[in-house]
Amino acid sequence: MVVPQWANTQVLWYRKSLAEKAGLDMTQPVTWKQIIEAADQNDGTVGVQANKYEGYVVWLNALVTGAGGDLVSDTEQGRDAKVDVDSDAGRAAAEVIQQLADSGAAQNDLSVSNEGTSLGRLLEGPSTEDNGSFMVNWTFVYKNMEDGEANGTLVKGAMKDLGWARYPATVEGEESRPPIGGIQVGVGAYSDHKEMAQEAALCVTNPDAQEALAVEAGLFPSRGSVYEAEALKEAYPEDLLALFRESVDSAGPRPQSAFYSQISGALQSVWHPPTSVSPDTTPKESASFLSDVLDGRRLL
């Protein structure tokens, strides 16, 4: 038995002052190209997760699915899954990564960046040296920043400059597919105390527990009804709650495969570091390597 405890998603967080300076209308969908150019031309940055770890594959998958493709498909075939990354969608994803890596908008720790380091640049806020940033990151960001302002680690009033919008589009005119993650609580078939474990799993994932996680830790519900809870409406702006729910509903999940660890590891091996990515070579090389790994011809 598996029970979802929370359903995480990513949105685009940004400094309103930077978007205004760049002349971007953030009430309309924006593309990766637009925000990279806006940051590059206005002394800002674009925060992503691009270390050699799962967070990088989260970004890659969102870029590829946002361009209408898949990393792999037919995953029910196990090792015989169809490798799809060498495609127009894969090349569109590579173009975004290459554009950021080659631009002045790339944060100086791009190849080792993660959720915390990219958040750090947003927390700095606008200054004379750095006009702030755009950043893709999970739902916990709002609570993190709110707590930071409350305890004095953030300048008072910093939250007023924080904006949020739908995850950027890979291709102009195409709807983005935000990442989705979260946690499921499982009970093993061979548990010594299966009934008690099932009761515990249901307890920690019930609506009240999901509500508390969202309010206290910024980890959002897997149950749609919990988004209507008064405690959430008091803790978060109405449009942010709507954005989180919309992003979960329209997300692009990662491949559901028993061999996902091999899929992720093989893609990381070829697509990292982001400064090496090329639309002409990276999708093709990664497809070849991943196919070999799944077939048992090469090792990670």
Side-chain angles (χ1 to χ4, degrees), residues 9 23 65 75 80 87 101-102 138 151 166 178 196 251 271:
T9 188
T65 56
T75 53
D80 295 323
S87 62
D102 290 347
W138 303 99
N151 64 30
R166 171 98 178 214
M196 291 177 64
W271 286 76

Side-chain angles (χ1 to χ4, degrees), residues 143-144 147 208-219 232 235-236:
K143 188 66 179 174
N144 236 270
D147 289 348
D208 289 343
Q210 292 196 13
E211 178 184 315
L213 264 177
V215 171
E216 296 170 14
L219 302 171
L232 264 71
Y236 294 93

Side-chain angles (χ1 to χ4, degrees), residues 13 138-147 159 162 164 235-237 240 244:
W13 304 94
W138 303 99
T139 57
F140 71 86
V141 167
Y142 184 87
K143 188 66 179 174
N144 236 270
M145 295 191 67
E146 185 179 58
D147 289 348
M159 287 288 287
L162 178 66
W164 43 83
Y236 294 93
L240 183 57
F244 286 159

Side-chain angles (χ1 to χ4, degrees), residues 3-300:
V3 188
Q5 187 173 29
W6 78 76
N8 216 346
T9 188
Q10 289 196 5
V11 302
L12 176 65
W13 304 94
Y14 64 94
R15 286 293 177 188
K16 295 176 183 176
S17 52
L18 174 58
E20 183 178 356
K21 185 178 179 184
L24 285 180
D25 179 3
M26 299 303 292
T27 65
Q28 301 299 314
V30 294
T31 65
W32 280 98
K33 184 175 186 291
Q34 284 177 304
I35 64 168
I36 292 169
E37 289 180 349
D40 191 15
Q41 294 166 11
N42 293 279
D43 301 318
T45 60
V46 176
V48 296
Q49 294 80 54
N51 199 351
K52 192 177 182 182
Y53 78 130
E54 180 59 23
Y56 189 31
V57 181
V58 168
W59 184 29
L60 174 59
N61 184 70
L63 291 173
V64 170
T65 56
D70 294 295
L71 298 176
V72 299
S73 59
D74 297 336
T75 53
E76 68 277 2
Q77 301 300 319
R79 289 188 181 276
D80 295 323
K82 185 172 179 285
V83 177
D84 300 312
V85 69
D86 183 18
S87 62
D88 288 344
R91 286 180 281 278
E95 286 173 2
V96 169
I97 295 173
Q98 183 184 61
Q99 182 192 4
L100 178 59
D102 290 347
S103 76
Q107 295 180 350
N108 54 17
D109 65 346
L110 177 64
S111 65
V112 293
S113 59
N114 58 40
E115 288 85 353
T117 62
S118 54
L119 175 58
R121 292 299 291 272
L122 190 73
L123 290 173
E124 292 171 4
S127 68
T128 53
E129 295 82 20
D130 182 356
N131 283 314
S133 69
F134 296 96
M135 174 189 66
V136 289
N137 215 327
W138 303 99
T139 57
F140 71 86
V141 167
Y142 184 87
K143 188 66 179 174
N144 236 270
M145 295 191 67
E146 185 179 58
D147 289 348
E149 186 173 283
N151 64 30
T153 57
L154 269 183
V155 176
K156 191 172 183 180
M159 287 288 287
K160 292 180 181 178
D161 196 39
L162 178 66
W164 43 83
R166 171 98 178 214
Y167 197 85
T170 309
V171 178
E172 187 172 6
E174 297 289 332
E175 195 172 75
S176 66
R177 300 294 303 278
I180 189 167
I183 290 291
Q184 296 177 328
V185 179
V187 176
Y190 301 101
S191 170
D192 290 337
H193 305 284
K194 190 185 299 183
E195 289 187 7
M196 291 177 64
Q198 289 175 345
E199 288 180 16
L202 291 172
C203 176
V204 299
T205 60
N206 69 30
D208 289 343
Q210 292 196 13
E211 178 184 315
L213 264 177
V215 171
E216 296 170 14
L219 302 171
F220 269 72
S222 59
R223 296 172 182 252
S225 60
V226 183
Y227 283 81
E228 303 301 323
E230 285 303 317
L232 264 71
K233 293 179 180 179
E234 292 174 7
Y236 294 93
E238 182 180 357
D239 62 332
L240 183 57
L241 278 178
L243 176 61
F244 286 159
R245 188 167 185 178
E246 170 194 310
S247 298
V248 169
D249 290 343
S250 57
R254 282 161 275 176
Q256 304 297 300
S257 169
F259 296 93
Y260 182 74
S261 61
Q262 290 96 321
I263 293 168
S264 178
L267 292 169
Q268 292 173 44
S269 294
V270 180
W271 286 76
H272 195 271
T275 50
S276 71
V277 170
S278 164
D280 298 328
T281 59
T282 307
K284 183 176 182 180
E285 290 175 3
S286 64
S288 176
F289 183 59
L290 176 53
S291 294
D292 285 349
V293 167
L294 290 175
D295 287 342
R297 292 191 298 268
R298 298 177 73 179
L299 299 174
L300 288 174

